[in-house]
Amino acid sequence: MAYHSGYGAHGSKHRARAAPDSPPLFDDTSGGYSSQPGGYPAPGAEVAFNVNHLLGDPMANVAMAYGSSIASHGKDIVHKELHRFVSVNKLKYFFAVDTAYVAKKLGLLVFPYTHQNWEVQYSRDVPLPPRQDLNAPDLYIPTMAFITYVLLAGMALGIQKRFSPEVLGLCASTALVWVVMEVLALLLGLYLATVRSDLSTFHLLAYSGYKYVGMILSVLTGLVFGSDGYYVALAWTSSALMYFIVRSLRTAVLGPDSVGGPAPRQRLQLYLTLGAAAFQPLIIYWLTFHLVR
């Protein structure tokens, strides 16, 4: 029985022709160039080349350094102009609070009648920060109370189906404008009464901003108990705030410098203190009565 072998008649070996390699599915771009004929560079390689060329260019480095110096110089100018109008160190003093101070100060604003010593404490002729002195004014409580008042106003208007972004913005801007006008009026009054004290714009802004605490309590009581509860809370918070303002400002406005001075000057300083206190209930009512119905 003959077997068929892979050899021909002359004994030469026949090999099968190898099939051509199939083209790759994706081009190899690991080397920065594609496998396409012609040796065209890949898009990423051209970008990388341009960036490296730009970074290696001395003129580009000089331009980048010049731009950085201009930005640093502009930053210094902004900080210098900011320090001219607003002292950052003084502003930090009014935010130096802690949890214990905030709790005690809120209690003092709601019930100030049992407090005895109202004078601000000093250490080496420097007033102690609010977290060390309960009588020191702060801007943390007025700021947070203002934000809470705006949110509470939005909730009250939403409950009454009267909420809209325009009304909420008008409520916030009106409250802010009233405080600014009050501070400007107090500054003018202090100037006309020739009061020599350590009261600054930040002090007056703090004392004027404490009314937001009473506004929040009045609106919350009105939402829970209706209009009757609102007027009861308004009367209590207004009287407490008036007492707080008179006792706090009396030591600053009617200080030792006013003793022995002209009688008209003393009366003017007294009227200024009482007027600042009497103005608080009017603003509280004007900014809250439309939120409770």
Side-chain angles (χ1 to χ4, degrees):
M1 182 176 181
Y3 295 93
H4 181 72
S5 64
Y7 295 91
H10 301 283
S12 62
K13 186 177 181 180
H14 295 278
R15 300 179 181 273
R17 174 179 292 181
D21 296 335
S22 59
L25 296 177
F26 301 99
D27 296 334
D28 184 11
T29 59
S30 61
Y33 294 90
S34 64
S35 61
Q36 297 177 357
Y40 294 103
E46 184 178 356
V47 174
F49 175 76
N50 292 335
V51 172
N52 294 331
H53 178 71
L54 179 62
L55 295 178
D57 191 0
M59 294 300 296
N61 294 333
V62 171
M64 293 176 62
Y66 183 68
S68 300
S69 64
I70 292 178
S72 178
H73 183 63
K75 182 179 179 180
D76 294 338
I77 293 177
V78 171
H79 282 287
K80 182 178 179 181
E81 294 297 325
L82 182 62
H83 280 283
R84 285 181 55 188
F85 299 98
V86 178
S87 178
V88 179
N89 293 330
K90 291 183 179 179
L91 190 61
K92 289 180 180 179
Y93 165 82
F94 291 92
F95 285 92
V97 301
D98 55 10
T99 305
Y101 167 81
V102 173
K104 293 180 180 179
K105 197 57 171 281
L106 290 177
L108 182 62
L109 291 172
V110 176
F111 195 83
Y113 306 107
T114 58
H115 192 61
Q116 299 297 327
N117 185 14
W118 291 86
E119 294 184 359
V120 177
Q121 304 299 319
Y122 285 81
S123 176
R124 297 179 181 179
D125 296 333
V126 177
L128 294 177
R131 63 172 174 264
Q132 299 179 9
D133 183 14
L134 184 60
N135 297 324
D138 72 284
L139 287 174
Y140 176 81
I141 292 178
T143 302
M144 299 305 296
F146 173 78
I147 297 174
T148 305
Y149 162 74
V150 174
L151 297 178
L152 183 62
M155 185 184 71
L157 294 174
I159 293 175
Q160 302 172 20
K161 308 298 182 181
R162 296 187 294 120
F163 175 81
S164 66
E166 294 79 10
V167 175
L168 186 61
L170 181 62
C171 182
S173 59
T174 303
L176 187 60
V177 168
W178 272 110
V179 171
V180 173
M181 292 176 59
E182 182 182 356
V183 171
L184 293 178
L186 288 175
L187 289 175
L188 180 60
L190 293 175
Y191 174 76
L192 296 177
T194 62
V195 177
R196 298 178 181 178
S197 65
D198 296 332
L199 289 176
S200 64
T201 305
F202 292 144
H203 288 84
L204 299 179
L205 189 61
Y207 288 124
S208 301
Y210 285 137
K211 68 171 60 68
Y212 293 123
V213 177
M215 293 163 57
I216 293 172
L217 294 178
S218 300
V219 174
L220 283 176
T221 307
L223 293 178
V224 176
F225 299 102
S227 60
D228 294 336
Y230 163 76
Y231 286 109
V232 172
L234 178 65
W236 178 266
T237 55
S238 298
S239 60
L241 184 60
M242 290 174 61
Y243 185 84
F244 174 84
I245 293 295
V246 170
R247 295 301 302 268
S248 299
L249 292 182
R250 188 178 66 173
T251 56
V253 177
L254 300 175
D257 295 338
S258 63
V259 178
R265 177 182 173 183
Q266 294 182 9
R267 286 197 300 267
L268 184 58
Q269 294 174 354
L270 179 61
Y271 294 156
L272 177 62
T273 305
L274 296 178
F279 197 58
Q280 304 302 316
L282 300 177
I283 303 180
I284 294 177
Y285 175 75
W286 179 257
L287 295 177
T288 56
F289 79 96
H290 65 283
L291 299 177
V292 179
R293 289 185 178 180

